[in-house]
Amino acid sequence: MVQGIAGLRCIGALVAFVGASLWTGAALAAAGHPTPWQLGFQDSVTAISDQIHSFHNLTMVIITLITLFVLGLLVFAMMRFNARANPTPSKSTHNTLIEVLWTVIPIIILVLIAVPSFKLLYAQYDVPKPALTIKAIGHQWYWSYEYPDQEDMSFDSVMVEDGDLKPDQPRLLSVDNQVVVPVNKNVLVLVTADDVIHNWTIPSFGSKVDAVPGRVTSTWFNAREKGIYYGQCSELCGIRHAFMPIAVRVVDEEVFNNWAAAMAEDEDKARAIIQAAVEADKRKTIAELKN
Ligand SMILES: [Cu+2]
């Protein structure tokens, strides 16, 4: 009896947990960063990421249907063909119709998955003419960036340690120097590493590619919304693998140009330009919400 009550409590807690996850996950879905109890992906801000989300949703439906179908077949076989319900089993070994069906139907399902899958793969690797090229270099354990179009501007991007975090900076994701890019522009990211394999990724962009020493790989994005987008090194690269985040700040083109010009002289001034633009946008949003 006591065990029964404990069991019920466990199930109750599980239901409450799943319910709460669904509720807050849906309520707090966000672009650019994870949220507590989040379910599903971070919000998408690029066409590639949209495509990833719909491909995921399609395969999710397909695998759910397959799982339910197989579960149904198992239950049916257990009920219908157990020794009690079916004392004299049939000796048949072939059924041509069923054999054709269980060959052809999976092929059709695979083709259904393959078409959007290849489309996505080609879209990811088919880089449109870039308006800006950035080079991201993975190091143990930070990233450095070069802007070959901006007179070879370069900087290191190191994680902000817990003690130095400002109130609006998320832990383990914030960096001292963010990558700054213009909104609604094709950005090509050339990726490499100088010691071991790292991986450059921003979930909201649908960008993810290995950074391999001695090789240049690439990814691209065209972010349609301004904001700050975070990612983390996604290839196990050593003891501080979890502490080399990636932060990309998407701003208006004009702000980007001002930032790039300032970077040549004074990094603090450049940071101030970005900060001012972010605060101006915040004030604008608040004013719009009030109206
Ligand atoms: Cu790494």
Side-chain angles (χ1 to χ4, degrees), residues 135-138 190-194 197 210-218:
K135 194 169 164 193
I137 303 146
L190 302 173
V191 182
T192 188
D194 96 325
I197 304 178
D210 264 0
V212 185
R215 278 190 200 187
V216 179
T217 52
S218 68

Side-chain angles (χ1 to χ4, degrees), residues 138-143 196-199 233-238 240-242 244:
H139 308 263
Q140 284 175 315
W141 289 274
Y142 64 97
W143 292 92
V196 298
I197 304 178
H198 301 270
N199 184 296
C233 177
S234 303
E235 188 69 70
L236 196 51
C237 60
R240 283 184 62 82
H241 160 63
M244 49 180 297

Side-chain angles (χ1 to χ4, degrees), residues 28 163 184 229 241:
L28 294 173
N184 288 323
Y229 301 94
H241 160 63

